[in-house]
């Protein structure tokens, strides 16, 4: 008998907000790869479009209801998703300020949901992703082991800082990690979709 339950909803969160960002290129490639996924529904959530204030609440919304309407709107948006796939830019060995602020603007809405990532930079965004995983643990997310990394030669192949070649030129290097990441994300998203949230 076919499963009539809706697919888990996954937000693809773009972490860089700079006008000159590289993020659009890997994000467009990622969205083309997950389009029509049979078990997960993906939606783009660009931090550039969220107009979030710098965190200025009395405390996390775990303890105190947020007062800023923009923060509340962000929390409500996150609450509708069952998992997250972050497009992680590495800035000075860490995540972007915009992403850290977006994470801080909510708490309960991240809880007991899986998080995956596509990370990029000279070291494949690995240092930023490690920090994101630590933040995710504090926010009671489930950080996945697998991730998609664009680093070193591949990064400079497709980056405007290098050859600015199309993503198709490195696609065969990414397909294995993409497959493993999506399989793991599917497992956890389905498992946790109906889990009670704090």
């Amino acid at each position: 008998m076919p499963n009539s339950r809706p697919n888990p909803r996954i937000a693809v969160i773009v972490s860089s907000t700079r006008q000159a960002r590289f993020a659009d290129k890997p994000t467009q490639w990622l969205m083309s790869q997950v389009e029509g996924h049979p078990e997960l529904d993906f939606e783009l959530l660009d931090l550039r479009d969220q107009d979030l204030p710098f965190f200025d609440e009395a405390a996390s919304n775990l303890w105190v209801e947020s007062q800023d309407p923009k923060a509340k709107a962000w929390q409500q948006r996150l609450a509708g998703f069952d998992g997250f796939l972050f497009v992680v830019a590495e800035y000075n060995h860490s995540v972007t300020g915009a992403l850290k602020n977006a994470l801080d603007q909510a708490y309960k809405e991240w809880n007991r949901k899986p998080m995956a990532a596509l990370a990029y930079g000279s070291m494949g965004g690995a240092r930023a992703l490690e920090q994101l995983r630590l933040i995710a643990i504090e926010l009671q997310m489930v950080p996945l082991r697998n991730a998609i990394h664009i680093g070193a030669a591949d990064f400079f192949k497709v980056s405007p800082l290098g050859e600015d070649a199309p993503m198709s030129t490195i696609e065969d290097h990414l397909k294995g990690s993409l497959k493993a990441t999506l399989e793991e994300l599917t497992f956890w998203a389905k498992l946790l979709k109906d889990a009670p949230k704090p």
Side-chain angles (χ1 to χ4, degrees):
M1 184 175 194
N3 185 357
S4 60
R5 293 172 57 200
N7 288 341
R9 296 181 65 229
I10 308 298
V12 176
I13 298 181
V14 185
S15 69
S16 175
T17 58
R18 294 181 305 122
Q19 290 304 308
R21 70 187 182 182
F22 169 67
D24 295 315
K25 198 170 192 175
T27 299
Q28 289 166 7
W29 174 82
L30 178 62
M31 295 305 292
S32 74
Q33 299 301 305
V34 300
E35 184 178 4
H37 192 282
E39 298 177 90
L40 301 173
D41 295 335
F42 291 86
E43 182 178 330
L44 191 61
L45 200 55
D46 193 335
L47 293 186
R48 185 189 279 173
D49 301 331
Q50 302 310 307
D51 192 26
L52 278 171
F54 196 71
F55 182 75
D56 191 26
E57 300 292 337
S60 159
N61 75 334
L62 171 66
W63 307 108
V64 179
E65 181 179 352
S66 299
Q67 298 303 304
D68 193 301
K70 292 177 180 177
K72 288 183 176 181
W74 173 242
Q75 293 159 10
Q76 290 167 2
R77 190 83 191 276
L78 294 175
F81 291 103
D82 303 299
F84 305 99
L85 204 173
F86 294 91
V87 179
V88 180
E90 181 168 311
Y91 288 9
N92 298 315
H93 292 205
S94 188
V95 297
T96 67
L99 177 55
K100 182 59 168 68
N101 184 54
L103 291 162
D104 291 342
Q105 295 281 4
Y107 186 89
K108 297 177 289 185
E109 296 76 16
W110 301 112
N111 290 178
R112 296 182 183 169
K113 298 175 184 180
M115 64 131 295
L118 181 159
Y120 60 86
S122 61
M123 300 297 290
R127 296 166 297 201
L129 180 51
E130 285 304 303
Q131 293 202 23
L132 177 57
R133 285 173 169 145
L134 291 174
I135 297 166
I137 290 168
E138 176 58 26
L139 294 172
Q140 299 188 51
M141 285 191 267
V142 178
L144 305 189
R145 175 190 181 276
N146 289 294
I148 308 109
H149 292 275
I150 305 172
D154 282 346
F155 175 70
F156 288 106
K157 183 79 174 176
V158 297
S159 168
L161 297 174
E163 296 179 37
D164 203 16
M167 288 292 294
S168 58
T169 61
I170 64 166
E171 187 174 72
D172 60 329
H173 302 170
L174 306 177
K175 283 293 186 76
S177 57
L178 174 66
K179 180 176 184 292
T181 299
L182 292 179
E183 286 176 353
E184 191 180 4
L185 181 59
T186 300
F187 172 82
W188 285 107
K190 286 185 165 185
L191 186 68
L192 296 172
K193 186 175 186 296
D194 297 322
K197 304 297 188 282

